[in-house]
Amino acid sequence: MQQQEAIEEFWQHISHCDHVVQMYENEDSFLDTLEAFVVEGFRKNDAVIVIAAPEHRTALAERLERNGISVATAASNGQYIVRDARSCLARFMFDGWPAESRFNAMIEELLAKAREKHPTVRAFGEMVALLWDEKLYRATMRLEHMWTQLCQRESFPLFCAYPKASFDSADPADCREVHNAHTRACPPL
């Protein structure tokens, strides 16, 4: 329980332009952290954008429902906007490299939709983790930097997560670069 309280407190103190990373050992710790991020957003009446793989979207929705949050209601009132990570990547990746103008247009469209009824927004995205798993390390770093620029310009916190196992075969310098591309790291669970 102490770990869960620590992550809940962590999310209470993020700033409007923090770019947060989690390197997780297992799916449960990742989903605990993501759930706390989303629940804190709902508590603050933020709109929450989630760009994730199907299995993570489904698991998160089940957890939110168990917490008494109606995912359908949150989605219908514009507070919960969910997109598929691979489909989003397909909109702006060309020859293994992110097209910045297309990425910005896609995310700015989601932010505008979220802000129709909620002035503050927070976002989670795992597109970078998918690129990393495909060993597109330079493209991953470019996307991380594009996210940071957008977070600062549009003033919203962003949460990214990577499975630790993805870094087993990567160069340690690349791993440090991923960590350094963020303003904060989640406390380990």
Side-chain angles (χ1 to χ4, degrees), residues 97-130:
W97 194 252
E100 187 169 5
S101 61
R102 287 182 181 235
F103 167 77
N104 286 339
M106 181 187 74
I107 300 302
E108 287 167 358
E109 178 184 310
L110 291 174
L111 291 169
K113 179 179 168 85
R115 288 177 174 149
E116 286 174 3
K117 296 182 182 175
H118 301 274
T120 55
V121 179
R122 60 181 50 210
F124 166 77
E126 69 178 325
M127 295 181 294
V128 288
L130 296 177

Side-chain angles (χ1 to χ4, degrees), residues 88-89 91-94 96-109 127 131 139 141-153:
C88 287
L89 280 171
R91 289 182 61 185
F92 65 84
M93 290 295 293
F94 296 95
W97 194 252
E100 187 169 5
S101 61
R102 287 182 181 235
F103 167 77
N104 286 339
M106 181 187 74
I107 300 302
E108 287 167 358
E109 178 184 310
M127 295 181 294
L131 290 178
M141 292 315 306
R142 179 67 188 132
L143 184 54
E144 286 286 15
H145 291 295
M146 288 165 39
W147 269 119
T148 296
Q149 291 169 351
L150 198 57
C151 288
Q152 291 171 351
R153 188 171 65 246

Side-chain angles (χ1 to χ4, degrees), residues 16 34 43 50 54 64 74-75 85 88 95 98-100 112 114 117 126 133 148 152 156-157 163 173 179 181:
H16 60 276
L34 179 57
R43 190 187 70 73
V50 174
L64 294 173
C88 287
D95 296 325
E100 187 169 5
K117 296 182 182 175
E126 69 178 325
D133 283 345
T148 296
Q152 291 171 351
F156 67 95
H179 185 54

